[in-house]
Amino acid sequence: MARIAYVNGRYQPFADAQVHIEDRGYQLADGVYEVVAVHQGRPLDVGPHLERLKRSLSEVAIAWPLTPTALRLILDRMIRKNRLVNGLIYIQITRGVARRDHAFPKRRIKPALTITARHLAPTPDWVVAKGVRVITQPDLRWKRCDIKAVGLLPNVLAKQAARAQGAFEAWLVDENGRITEGASTNAWIVTKNGTIVTRPLGPEILAGVTRRAVRAFLAKSQGKLVERPFTLAEALQAKEAFLTSATSWVLPVVSIDGHPIGNGQPGPVALGLRAQYAKEVAQSR
Ligand code: PDD
């Protein structure tokens, strides 16, 4: 089965799919994106992902290239055409194609929309049972991390540093020694008294769709959640730590910079939240 990509209104064989050399996304990282997880042939949390996409577009003054309803239809079609069962859909919208100039083109140009789909096996049980290791890196990103922009060089370098040290993720630390989030995930800890802590929404972090889901079921179950910044020192003293993202769901973190968190094993809070997330995914069918 050949992979199919969507490029500006056309479904094309993945291997032939191309964009223009002067696409502003390519030359200036002038674009935004979304990653939607697909589970058992269904996209997860499409509504919140499209809502966030709309916000990102509006914050950088790029017009919707088509209606959200049309985009939803294309996502379903991409899942079918690619026979995707478990994996992800990547949606990218750039300002479009124009002669290179930092300022917006004077002439109205059409935003460029590209979509790819790819298989990704669900996180194996043994990974969840073992938990993942993270390292820390200075947060070198811009001051609008709430926009899901395609300019990801600091995230790329941080993730690569993690990979080089055999870690799953890099947690980014701001100038005040406080953790903002991971290179491509949100960061959470559970304090000694059982309070779940994650950084509040703001320009320093992405408003994760998975974060939002976890927050919602913590509110329902009256789990103790406090949204406030936390330091690396506090994270190292935590009882548990975990991360969230569309493709990772909820993953226990068992060490930071080589220091075990809690007893160095995945904790009950992280595992419980993961189980609850999986249940909600199953129930939303
Ligand atoms: N990353 N923080 C950052 C910087 C991210 O890039 C992401 C998502 C998240 C988690 O958000 P969500 O729960 O909506 O996936 C937090 C995606 C998966 C990516 O760039 O591949």
Side-chain angles (χ1 to χ4, degrees):
M1 244 284 300
R3 272 179 85 185
I4 300 295
Y6 177 93
V7 184
N8 295 319
R10 288 169 51 194
Y11 296 93
Q12 300 182 348
F14 179 81
D16 304 335
Q18 290 184 354
V19 293
H20 197 282
I21 197 166
E22 281 195 318
D23 186 294
R24 289 177 61 94
Y26 177 59
Q27 292 195 327
L28 301 159
D30 186 4
V32 299
Y33 75 103
E34 275 299 324
V35 175
V36 181
V38 175
H39 184 71
Q40 303 297 339
R42 270 181 336 112
L44 302 184
D45 284 329
V46 190
H49 280 290
L50 295 191
E51 227 173 81
R52 188 171 66 190
L53 182 59
K54 184 174 165 205
R55 180 175 181 279
S56 293
L57 287 168
S58 124
E59 291 297 307
V60 300
I62 296 178
W64 267 106
L66 72 192
T67 65
T69 317
L71 183 51
R72 256 195 114 113
L73 269 167
I74 295 168
L75 299 187
D76 289 338
R77 220 166 265 171
M78 281 292 283
I79 292 173
R80 277 205 309 276
K81 284 182 185 290
N82 286 281
R83 307 239 172 107
L84 192 60
V85 181
N86 293 313
L88 61 89
I89 302 178
Y90 177 79
I91 308 165
Q92 177 169 308
I93 303 176
T94 72
R95 198 173 307 279
V97 174
R99 195 179 70 176
R100 187 177 179 279
D101 178 4
H102 287 59
F104 297 176
K106 284 204 192 74
R107 187 173 53 82
R108 254 180 104 85
I109 53 169
K110 271 210 336 233
L113 167 63
T114 51
I115 305 175
T116 52
R118 89 170 155 89
H119 172 78
L120 179 71
T123 309
D125 289 344
W126 67 265
V127 172
V128 178
K130 236 175 108 187
V132 297
R133 289 180 290 143
V134 306
I135 60 157
T136 58
Q137 289 283 289
D139 193 341
L140 304 176
R141 301 173 303 159
W142 71 329
K143 296 191 169 78
R144 287 303 307 275
C145 297
D146 54 313
I147 301 171
K148 203 157 171 56
V150 294
L152 288 174
L153 201 43
N155 309 58
V156 167
L157 298 177
K159 189 73 100 179
Q160 180 54 31
R163 220 29 81 73
Q165 294 185 42
F168 180 83
E169 177 61 303
W171 277 9
L172 308 175
V173 183
D174 70 15
E175 293 141 5
N176 301 312
R178 303 183 308 190
I179 288 161
T180 50
E181 61 181 333
S184 66
T185 56
N186 287 114
W188 309 66
I189 56 168
V190 183
T191 65
K192 290 249 154 65
N193 73 6
T195 306
I196 300 168
V197 182
T198 196
R199 185 135 180 155
L201 295 186
E204 306 86 13
I205 67 163
L206 184 75
V209 168
T210 322
R211 178 190 183 282
R212 170 173 155 155
V214 168
R215 195 175 173 280
F217 47 73
L218 280 174
K220 254 195 281 168
S221 65
Q222 285 156 11
K224 267 197 288 174
L225 171 69
V226 177
E227 288 171 280
R228 62 164 174 83
F230 57 93
T231 61
L232 169 58
E234 196 181 356
L236 293 173
Q237 294 304 313
K239 197 152 75 173
E240 286 185 43
F242 58 96
L243 53 83
T244 55
S245 81
T247 49
S248 309
W249 297 12
V250 179
L251 263 188
V253 168
V254 292
S255 82
I256 303 176
D257 289 334
H259 301 281
I261 301 305
N263 63 3
Q265 304 286 323
V269 175
L271 292 176
L273 288 170
R274 185 180 176 87
Q276 187 155 3
Y277 189 85
K279 200 168 116 195
E280 304 242 338
V281 166
Q283 278 171 358
S284 66
R285 289 197 73 81

